[in-house]
Amino acid sequence: KRVLLTGASGFIAAHVLKILVAEGFWIRATVRSDAKAKAIAAVYPDAVKNGQLEFGIVEDIAAPHAHDKVVVADPPLDYVLHTASPFHMNVQDPKKDMLDPAVNGTRGLLESVKQHAPSVKRVVITSSFASILNADKLSPPWPGKVYSEDDWNPITWEKALTDPSNTYRGSKTFAEKAGWDFVKTEKPNFDLVTLCPPMVFGPIINDQTLASLNTSNQRINGYLSGQLTAVAPTGVHLWIDVRDLALAHVRALTIPEAGGNRFFTLADGIYTNQDICDILRKHFPEVKDRVPEGKPGAGLGLKEGEYFVGDNSKSKKILGLTYRGLEESVVDTAKSILELEKKS
Ligand code: NDP
C-alpha cells in the first residue's frame, strides 16, 4: 500500500501520517522545504531509516506541473491523499494567496496523477464544511436546517474576493468542485473521495509553535491564554476531533465502497465557545483566571431545532467512524497547547 500525502507539515496531515506509519503504508510525504522534511523525519526516525517514509518537495502546489515528479514512484503509487491547501486569514491577494493554490493545486495534482501515475486507484481530498455551508445563514443559525453531503456552498467567485472568510470558503468550494469535475470529464483510472470537516480541534503533534497554531485551534488557545477576554458568538458550531478526521482519511483510502463519495465528517452534537470555556475552567484550574467565564452552561442559548446541525450518518455507515466527544477533545487540545507554551 503506497501513498502520496501532500501538505505533510500541516496540523491534520500530521495525524494522518501518524496512522499511515502505524498501519504500515509506504509513504511519500510532500512538504515545502528541506527544513520541514527534516522536522518530520525526526519524529519518525525508524520509518525513514527502513525506507517506509520519504519526502518530496513541492514549494507551491499552484505552480504548473508542481506534482509531476512526486507522483512517480518505483514501485508505483496506489493512493494519493491531498491535504495541502492554504488555511489562514492573512490573505493579501485572494486569488494568488488562496484561490489559485486551492483550485489549481487540486486540478494540477489530479492532472499529474492521471498523466504520470496511472497505477493510482484512489485520490482522497481534504475539502471542508466550507464547501457545504451557506454563509448567509450563519446568523441566526438557519433554524431547522440539517446539512448533509447534498448541500453545496452557493458562493460565487466575486463573493469569494470580498473578505478572508469568504476567500477561504470559496477556495474550498471551488477546489472540491474542480476535483469532481475532473473525474467526470477526464475519466481517470482513479476514483475520488472528498472529506468535509467543520472546525477541527485536537492535540498538536507536529513541531508547530504557538505562533503557527492552526486556525481552528487558535480559538481554544485564545481562551486558554486569555487573549480572548469575552465569550464571543460561536459562528460555525459544528466540529470534529483531528484524530477522528485522520482516521477518516485513511479509511477513505482503502474502503472500496467509499469511492466516488463525498463525506460530511463531524462529531455528534455541537460545540459552542461557552462550552469550550466551561471545559477549560473545569479541567485547568491553574488557568481559570484567564479563561472568560461567560454564562456557564448556557451553550448556544437556543433550543433544539432553532439552529442548524449536520448529518454524519453516511460517514458512520460507510467509513465505520465513531466520533470523540467535546470534553475529551478540548482537554487534549488544551494540554498540548500548554505543553507548547512551556516550550516557547
Ligand atoms: P495547516 O495550515 O496546518 O496545513 C496546510 C498545509 O498545506 C501545510 O502543510 C501547508 O504548508 C500546505 N500548503 C498551503 N499552501 C500551500 C502551497 N501553496 N503550496 C504547498 N503547500 C501548501 O492546516 P490544516 O491541517 O488545518 O488543514 C489541512 C487541510 O484541511 C486543508 O485543506 C484545509 O482547508 C482543510 N480543513 C481544515 C479545517 C480545520 O479546521 N483545521 C477544517 C476543514 C478543512 P506550509 O505549512 O509549509 O505552509
Side-chain angles (χ1 to χ4, degrees), residues 102-103 106-107 110 173-183 192:
V103 181
T106 299
R107 197 182 293 120
L110 299 183
T173 307
F174 307 140
E176 191 189 344
K177 281 192 172 158
W180 289 117
D181 286 347
F182 185 91
V183 287
L192 183 66

Side-chain angles (χ1 to χ4, degrees), residues 4-333:
L4 179 81
L5 172 66
T6 72
S9 56
F11 163 63
I12 294 168
H15 286 267
V16 176
L17 181 60
K18 186 177 174 189
I19 300 178
L20 291 173
V21 170
E23 294 201 356
F25 282 79
W26 177 89
I27 308 131
R28 178 176 289 155
T30 71
V31 285
R32 304 176 89 168
S33 66
D34 278 329
K36 294 204 173 185
K38 285 206 180 87
I40 299 172
V43 182
Y44 299 103
D46 294 342
V48 172
K49 212 154 98 196
N50 68 28
Q52 187 195 352
L53 171 61
E54 65 171 47
F55 296 91
I57 306 294
V58 176
E59 273 172 29
D60 184 5
I61 49 173
H65 303 288
H67 293 96
D68 279 5
K69 288 209 178 96
V70 293
V71 298
V72 179
D74 184 16
L77 294 171
D78 302 304
Y79 306 112
V80 172
L81 269 170
H82 183 45
T83 78
S85 204
F87 185 19
H88 54 77
M89 295 292 143
N90 322 315
V91 181
Q92 309 294 325
D93 178 337
K95 184 171 178 305
K96 192 165 153 287
D97 297 346
M98 195 160 275
L99 295 163
D100 283 351
V103 181
N104 299 349
T106 299
R107 197 182 293 120
L109 171 64
L110 299 183
E111 274 162 8
S112 300
V113 174
K114 186 183 176 211
Q115 282 183 18
H116 303 286
S119 57
V120 169
K121 297 187 272 287
R122 177 162 298 166
V123 176
V124 176
I125 296 176
T126 319
S127 186
S128 173
F129 178 51
S131 70
I132 289 183
L133 66 69
N134 184 334
D136 292 334
K137 303 206 171 188
L138 281 176
S139 179
W142 203 343
K145 173 68 181 169
V146 182
Y147 280 110
S148 78
E149 289 84 359
D150 296 334
D151 293 297
W152 277 95
N153 187 337
I155 192 166
T156 59
W157 186 269
E158 290 65 39
K159 187 158 182 195
L161 301 173
T162 54
D163 70 54
S165 293
N166 283 325
T167 303
Y168 176 67
R169 291 179 186 136
S171 79
K172 298 307 287 181
T173 307
F174 307 140
E176 191 189 344
K177 281 192 172 158
W180 289 117
D181 286 347
F182 185 91
V183 287
K184 202 167 148 202
T185 54
E186 297 287 323
K187 304 193 174 34
N189 283 347
F190 58 83
D191 62 16
L192 183 66
V193 179
T194 61
L195 303 176
C196 300
M199 295 290 282
V200 184
F201 301 135
I204 296 111
I205 57 166
N206 48 10
D207 66 333
Q208 283 188 334
T209 59
L210 277 184
S212 67
L213 200 64
N214 62 287
T215 304
S216 294
N217 275 341
Q218 277 169 20
R219 180 178 301 225
I220 295 182
N221 184 44
Y223 290 121
L224 194 59
S225 63
Q227 286 161 30
L228 298 173
T229 52
V231 182
T234 304
V236 171
H237 49 253
L238 305 180
W239 72 285
I240 181 174
D241 185 281
V242 69
R243 294 161 290 189
D244 299 333
L245 179 57
L247 186 60
H249 279 77
V250 180
R251 297 245 171 109
L253 273 190
T254 53
I255 292 178
E257 304 75 52
N261 280 289
R262 183 181 201 216
F263 291 100
F264 188 14
T265 44
L266 77 159
D268 302 324
I270 65 161
Y271 86 95
T272 64
N273 288 340
Q274 181 67 57
D275 297 332
I276 290 178
C277 292
D278 293 351
I279 293 168
L280 294 176
R281 288 170 62 86
K282 173 176 161 199
H283 287 270
F284 301 93
E286 69 276 24
V287 296
K288 204 172 168 185
D289 292 344
R290 39 189 223 206
V291 179
E293 188 175 9
K295 293 186 191 139
L300 206 54
L302 295 170
K303 291 196 206 74
E304 221 174 285
E306 289 180 341
Y307 53 87
F308 66 81
V309 292
D311 179 358
N312 61 10
S313 58
K314 183 175 169 186
S315 69
K316 286 181 170 169
K317 189 164 163 242
I318 299 181
L319 301 178
L321 296 168
T322 53
Y323 290 104
R324 280 175 174 76
L326 187 65
E327 190 147 354
E328 177 186 355
S329 191
V330 172
V331 167
D332 291 350
T333 310

